[in-house]
């Protein structure tokens, strides 16, 4: 009989949120939080140091995103098991997370039990999506504009996210270890793919997807789940 606990790395930029997740997860005797991180760089370093069984990762982090952290972790360890736990539910964002290597995506308005079940499923190597996310991804095939950000490469997506979050070209270059000229060129390519001609148009488009932090935070305070099954988990 294997009594080994599943070791978890929690990644969220709010300490009080991490404290709540830790308390919730450790109510299950088979789970233990081995480490915490508040940024993408901290997440990557913590993964290398602690080698957790599962990473619970927010997408919207200060600086580089949880998607970029996922990409780096999976590049380091292709067996990494990462669950995105986020308020960003747009199909394009979910697609980028899954393509970066995440095994699942749950919304932060999921029930506590679903988070615990999701972590346990990911630990077993299963893929997990909130029912709401699974439905939005499925229907995105019939709404072409919902897939726009999915046409970007992971680096183009990350640069756009950083730009609309208020970072300068120099800051983006520093975060991603690239030259400002390379960043400018890739952003130009991204705008062309998205069909926008200015940063203002890019911000407007990104706000509709949930990539603009202050817009996402306002929605988090206003949105109320009205359907009973909106948080149900779908395991694959």
């Amino acid at each position: 009989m294997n009594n080994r606990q599943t070791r978890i790395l929690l990644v969220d930029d709010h300490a009080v949120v991490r404290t709540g997740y830790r308390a919730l997860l450790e109510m299950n005797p088979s789970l233990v939080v081995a480490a915490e991180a508040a940024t993408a760089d901290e997440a990557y370093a913590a993964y290398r140091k602690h080698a957790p069984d599962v990473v619970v990762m927010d997408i919207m982090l200060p600086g580089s995103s949880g998607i970029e952290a996922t990409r780096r972790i999976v590049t380091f360890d292709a067996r990494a098991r990462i669950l995105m736990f986020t308020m960003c539910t747009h199909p394009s964002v979910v697609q980028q997370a899954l393509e970066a290597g995440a095994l699942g995506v749950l919304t932060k308005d999921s029930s506590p039990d679903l988070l615990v079940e999701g972590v346990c499923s990911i630990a077993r190597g299963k893929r997990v999506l909130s029912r709401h996310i699974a439905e939005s991804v499925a229907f995105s095939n019939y709404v072409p504009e919902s897939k726009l950000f999915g046409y970007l490469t992971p680096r183009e997506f990350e640069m756009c996210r950083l730009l609309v979050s208020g970072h300068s070209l120099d800051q983006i270059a520093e975060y991603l270890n690239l030259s400002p000229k390379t960043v400018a060129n890739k952003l130009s390519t991204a705008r062309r793919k998205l069909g926008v001609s200015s940063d203002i148009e890019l911000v407007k488009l990104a706000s509709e997807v949930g990539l603009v932090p202050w817009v996402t935070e306002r929605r988090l305070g206003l949105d109320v789940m009205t359907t009973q099954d909106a948080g149900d988990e779908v395991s694959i």
Side-chain angles (χ1 to χ4, degrees), residues 167 193 198:
H167 295 86
K193 288 182 179 180
S198 69

Tab-separated table of all heavy atoms in Angstrom, residues 167 193 198:
chain	number	residue	atom	x	y	z
A	167	HIS	N	3.733	46.987	-19.525
A	167	HIS	CA	5.185	46.897	-19.538
A	167	HIS	C	5.767	47.508	-20.813
A	167	HIS	O	5.170	47.424	-21.893
A	167	HIS	CB	5.632	45.440	-19.422
A	167	HIS	CG	5.261	44.807	-18.112
A	167	HIS	ND1	4.027	44.222	-17.889
A	167	HIS	CD2	5.953	44.689	-16.956
A	167	HIS	CE1	3.984	43.759	-16.653
A	167	HIS	NE2	5.133	44.035	-16.058
A	193	LYS	N	-1.150	39.419	-37.171
A	193	LYS	CA	-1.942	38.193	-37.043
A	193	LYS	C	-3.308	38.469	-36.409
A	193	LYS	O	-4.313	37.825	-36.756
A	193	LYS	CB	-1.186	37.167	-36.193
A	193	LYS	CG	0.020	36.533	-36.853
A	193	LYS	CD	0.655	35.505	-35.923
A	193	LYS	CE	1.847	34.826	-36.559
A	193	LYS	NZ	2.467	33.819	-35.647
A	198	SER	N	-2.722	49.154	-33.892
A	198	SER	CA	-2.165	49.997	-32.842
A	198	SER	C	-2.244	49.287	-31.499
A	198	SER	O	-2.982	48.306	-31.334
A	198	SER	CB	-2.933	51.323	-32.756
A	198	SER	OG	-4.251	51.088	-32.266
